[in-house]
Amino acid sequence: MATFNDWLEGARLRTLPAAVAPVLLGIGAAHYLGGFSAVRSLLALGVALALQIGVNFSNDYSDGVRGTDAQRVGPPRLTGGGKTSPRVVLAAALGCFALAGVLGLILLAISGQWLLLIPGVLAVIAAWYYTGGKMPYGYLGIGISELFVFVFFGLMATVGTTWVQTASAPWWLWVAASGTGLLSVALLFVNNIRDIPTDTKSGKRTLPVRMGDRVSRIVYVWLLGIGTLLTGMGLAETRFMIPYLIAFLVPMILISRPVQRGAKGRDLLKVLRNTGLLTLFTAVFVCVALVVS
């Protein structure tokens, strides 16, 4: 019988900053542009979190029934670790997707931005077919996973949060959204670097598996660096750009150092956590700076 802590682990809390960060950027931008709405912001946050947790449970279910989680470096999964029935995990995933859909429809009804229904539906489809279905794109290793993370947990979540409140999206918002999208890709990348040995054995062909360990580590460092810099461009029209660079350049270098030095297995769990925290705190800084500007 899965415990509450097992379900928390299944929700993969380390990945949630990737859902929260873009919404915070969008909220800050909406406030800066004079159109902030607390209700719409909370709904956008609920959609992002429900989608991310749904992806995590869906991944747990799909990898578990395929047997790709049989040998893991990280904590045992709900399905693969035999902690609960696959059907229960599947129900949890579908429940999260349904919740995201309901919250999203309420948000669109309030804002009147029904055009966003199309990318919203695509986001749910992309979430399921990451590791679900007969030909999951997460197993192809050709960059589709990274592209969708960039689009849905970067551009769409950030700009969409602002758009449903202000119906505007200035250039600096798109640049900052690209930054947090790259940081989310870095989060996915370091997770897959950790799993290269086990994914190779199980036949899961992620992009790091195809690229190899050494090249993947270089790509991760570049994703982290460029993502951090671009996120700060959300402050291009404010006086907080230089303080942002001072605050985050050193942490970014320190976080990437274990990856550069060849850390493996469980040692990369700390990097995964710290990458998520960097993604979150850069967004918090930009959000607060935009609010007070």
Side-chain angles (χ1 to χ4, degrees):
M1 195 72 167
T3 66
F4 178 72
N5 286 336
D6 290 332
W7 281 102
L8 281 181
E9 188 61 49
R12 306 186 196 182
L13 301 185
R14 296 182 188 89
T15 67
L16 297 190
V20 176
V23 176
L24 288 179
L25 286 178
I27 290 172
H31 194 283
Y32 182 79
L33 295 170
F36 171 73
S37 166
V39 172
R40 298 182 192 187
S41 296
L42 288 174
L43 285 170
L45 181 61
V47 171
L49 286 172
L51 271 178
Q52 180 65 67
I53 296 173
V55 169
N56 293 340
F57 284 140
S58 172
N59 180 244
D60 187 303
Y61 166 78
S62 298
D63 280 350
V65 296
R66 281 190 172 88
T68 52
D69 274 346
Q71 295 180 334
R72 281 186 48 79
V73 175
R77 296 299 184 208
L78 290 165
T79 307
K83 293 180 178 292
T84 191
S85 165
R87 289 185 178 182
V88 174
V89 181
L90 176 60
L94 296 179
C96 289
F97 292 149
L99 176 61
V102 171
L103 294 177
L105 288 174
I106 294 173
L107 178 58
L108 295 182
I110 293 175
S111 66
Q113 300 295 337
W114 287 103
L115 186 61
L116 293 179
L117 180 62
I118 297 174
V121 171
L122 291 177
V124 175
I125 294 174
W128 170 252
Y129 284 103
Y130 172 49
T131 55
K134 294 182 179 180
M135 293 186 63
Y137 62 84
Y139 284 25
L140 299 178
I142 57 176
I144 298 178
S145 304
E146 289 74 15
L147 175 62
F148 283 175
V149 166
F150 176 78
V151 170
F152 292 118
F153 287 99
L155 301 182
M156 180 180 164
T158 304
V159 177
T161 298
T162 303
W163 190 266
V164 295
Q165 299 180 64
T166 66
S168 60
W171 69 269
W172 48 264
L173 178 61
W174 286 98
V175 177
S178 299
T180 197
L182 289 177
L183 288 175
S184 294
V185 174
L187 193 66
L188 173 64
F189 232 76
V190 73
N191 180 78
N192 288 341
I193 290 172
R194 180 200 65 187
D195 291 340
I196 285 177
T198 54
D199 284 345
T200 301
K201 290 180 181 178
S202 63
K204 185 176 181 180
R205 307 290 289 177
T206 63
L207 189 56
V209 167
R210 291 189 180 275
M211 296 174 67
D213 184 84
R214 180 174 176 274
V215 174
S216 297
R217 291 172 186 272
I218 295 172
V219 172
Y220 165 79
V221 173
W222 278 99
L223 287 169
L224 198 71
I226 296 174
T228 301
L229 292 175
L230 291 184
T231 300
M233 287 302 295
L235 301 173
E237 295 184 351
T238 74
R239 65 184 185 277
F240 293 106
M241 186 69 186
I242 299 302
Y244 172 90
L245 295 176
I246 294 173
F248 290 108
L249 282 182
V250 172
M252 179 267 295
I253 294 171
L254 293 177
I255 290 170
S256 66
R257 185 169 295 177
V259 178
Q260 293 174 299
R261 292 181 174 178
K264 296 181 178 181
R266 291 187 176 274
D267 290 337
L268 287 176
L269 290 176
K270 293 181 180 179
V271 180
L272 183 64
R273 178 200 64 197
N274 291 338
T275 302
L277 290 176
L278 180 69
T279 304
L280 178 61
F281 287 138
T282 54
V284 170
F285 188 105
V286 173
C287 178
V288 172
L290 288 173
V291 169
V292 301
S293 294

